[in-house]
């Protein structure tokens, strides 16, 4: 009888010991120092710099702008409203860049002004009048001057383009034309955007751009 009691106690103690044993848990999380790095072969690397580098050849072919507010003269004759945009833009290039340039181009963007959508005329190289078209190749523009200058102790070439664009529209009445003229005269936030690029040895170089305000006056 005592033997059975002893055996029962042994089994009971063994069962209690097994239920109370708990495997230790490591609640501490581990993290990498920098999870954003790219891991390759056990070492960290950073992505290569893919930004295009500006070469000396590119830099000397990038024109700078010297621009003041651009004047637009308003007039009404009968039912016709006329707006003469007096373009006056200075482009500057290094002397080296200008000597290595076959053509300098200048483009005007009227799309964000009240002049957008109006018909216009300009004067072409041969002295003829063109309708809704302007030559952006300054080799063909007669209203320009080219002079040598010095900016920040560097020899430069300045190209001044000074030509008129004549915008116009006929209205159903003289009063409508006068009312439209008043709307233009009151506008003070119009901005025209210019861009320019150089061409040399079968290559169009990177364009540059600048903006100027339009000043409408009667």
């Amino acid at each position: 009888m005592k033997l059975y009691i002893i055996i029962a106690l042994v089994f009971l103690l063994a069962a209690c010991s097994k239920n109370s044993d708990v495997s230790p848990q490591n609640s501490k999380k581990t993290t990498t120092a920098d999870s954003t790095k790219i891991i390759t072969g056990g070492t960290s690397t950073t992505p290569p710099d893919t930004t295009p580098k500006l070469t000396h050849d590119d830099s000397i072919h990038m024109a700078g702008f010297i621009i003041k507010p651009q004047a637009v003269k308003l007039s009404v004759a009968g039912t016709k409203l006329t707006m003469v945009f007096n373009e006056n833009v200075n482009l500057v290039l290094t002397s080296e860049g200008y000597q290595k340039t076959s053509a300098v181009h200048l483009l005007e963007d009227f799309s964000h002004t009240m002049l957008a959508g109006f018909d216009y005329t300009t004067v072409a190289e041969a002295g003829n009048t063109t309708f809704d078209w302007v030559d952006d190749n300054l080799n063909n523009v007669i209203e320009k001057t080219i002079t040598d200058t010095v900016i920040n102790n560097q020899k430069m070439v300045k190209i001044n383009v000074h030509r008129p664009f004549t915008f116009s529209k006929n209205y159903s009445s003289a009063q409508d034309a006068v009312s439209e003229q008043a709307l233009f005269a009151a506008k003070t936030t119009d901005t025209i955007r210019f861009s320019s690029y150089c061409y040399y040895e079968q290559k169009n170089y990177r364009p540059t751009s600048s903006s100027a305000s339009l000043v409408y006056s009667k």
Side-chain angles (χ1 to χ4, degrees), residues 132-143:
D132 283 348
W133 179 83
V134 60
D135 198 334
D136 60 86
N137 186 340
L138 297 186
N139 289 340
N140 305 326
V141 175
I142 56 178
E143 292 107 337

Side-chain angles (χ1 to χ4, degrees), residues 34 36-46:
D34 185 356
T36 63
K37 289 184 178 179
I38 301 172
I39 308 300
T40 305
T43 60
S44 62
T45 60
T46 56

Side-chain angles (χ1 to χ4, degrees), residues 47-159:
D49 184 6
T50 58
T51 304
K53 298 298 187 293
L54 188 66
T55 66
H56 174 73
D57 184 52
D58 289 329
S59 64
I60 65 174
H61 286 97
M62 296 175 67
F65 285 85
I66 302 175
I67 312 177
K68 294 181 180 180
Q70 306 289 290
V72 182
K73 188 69 175 178
L74 309 170
S75 63
V76 173
T79 62
K80 184 178 182 179
L81 170 63
T82 301
M83 301 150 288
V84 180
F85 164 62
N86 189 25
E87 180 179 55
N88 190 357
V89 176
N90 293 299
L91 296 170
V92 290
L93 289 160
T94 65
S95 295
E96 179 188 3
Y98 184 74
Q99 294 302 319
K100 296 178 180 179
T101 296
S102 301
V104 179
H105 293 257
L106 175 65
L107 300 95
E108 303 83 8
D109 181 3
F110 297 98
S111 63
H112 298 289
T113 74
M114 290 183 65
L115 295 173
F118 283 80
D119 293 323
Y120 67 89
T121 60
T122 58
V123 178
E125 180 182 19
N128 58 302
T129 300
T130 62
F131 183 76
D132 283 348
W133 179 83
V134 60
D135 198 334
D136 60 86
N137 186 340
L138 297 186
N139 289 340
N140 305 326
V141 175
I142 56 178
E143 292 107 337
K144 71 176 186 295
T145 58
I146 302 173
T147 56
D148 295 324
T149 187
V150 176
I151 299 176
N152 294 330
N153 297 319
Q154 185 174 10
K155 292 182 179 180
M156 309 287 286
V157 173
K158 181 173 70 173
I159 307 171

